Amino acid sequence: EAGDSGPRIDRHGHLAARRREFAGVRQQVGHHLHQTVGVAADGGKVVVTGVDQDGDVGKIYLGGADPYDGSGYTEIDIDSIVGSGGLGTWGRGACIQGDRIAVVGERQPLSSGTGLVMLSTDGGASFSDITPSGVGESVTRCRFLPDGALVVAGGDSFFGVYR
């Protein structure tokens, strides 16, 4: 209850966790049907990735100074980083370590070698396509190691480390 700082006991006599509430942030995307499937946060930085399903274009959303303000997010088309090549793109995952941001995904339709890996070393001001040769059909997960190396994994039993 408002202003109550004491513990809550549920109807069975157990200590009940306090209910947390989300501050709803929804990116203004016009009439497009967007699906967001990857999210990462580090300190106050937030990156979300997904796809504009109407245009079959992968998207990256970078949070601004206030991550709770949806109007402060910058939208980046994955096609602008990797080119479209006449295929659709999807963002599947993201990770952050300081100013380093990685976004992983794929080209559509899926086939061997359609996975994507993109990296920013300047907090999202620019991204480079660092997709390795031998990549599988999709790259879905990424993590930065403490030494700064990037580990990615995805379809076709693919995984790799980028230093």
Side-chain angles (χ1 to χ4, degrees):
E1 309 341 326
D4 178 14
S5 61
R8 288 186 47 203
I9 307 298
D10 69 15
R11 64 186 176 127
H12 303 289
H14 300 114
L15 184 63
R18 290 223 172 262
R19 192 177 99 193
R20 303 287 184 203
E21 293 187 20
F22 284 97
V25 177
R26 182 167 183 194
Q27 181 66 22
Q28 298 301 314
V29 294
H31 69 281
H32 299 293
L33 177 60
H34 287 228
Q35 180 181 11
T36 52
V37 295
V39 63
D42 181 20
K45 294 181 185 177
V46 176
V47 61
V48 179
T49 189
V51 65
D52 163 0
Q53 292 179 322
D54 287 345
D56 206 17
V57 176
K59 298 287 185 177
I60 301 169
Y61 300 102
L62 299 172
D66 179 0
Y68 301 99
D69 178 8
S71 67
Y73 279 67
T74 300
E75 180 180 321
I76 301 168
D77 288 351
I78 290 177
D79 290 1
S80 71
I81 302 165
V82 300
S84 72
L87 301 173
T89 54
W90 279 60
R92 291 288 184 186
C95 53
I96 301 176
Q97 184 184 63
D99 282 339
R100 295 167 50 88
I101 301 170
V103 175
V104 295
E106 76 234 13
R107 294 184 187 276
Q108 291 278 339
L110 294 176
S111 65
S112 181
T114 54
L116 296 172
V117 181
M118 295 146 286
L119 178 67
S120 172
T121 58
D122 56 12
S126 63
F127 281 86
S128 298
D129 180 0
I130 62 165
T131 304
S133 60
V135 71
E137 65 183 22
S138 179
V139 182
T140 56
R141 301 281 186 259
C142 65
R143 296 287 184 271
F144 284 107
L145 298 177
D147 69 358
L150 172 64
V151 180
V152 297
D156 300 333
S157 300
F158 171 79
F159 71 93
V161 180
Y162 180 81
R163 294 183 191 265

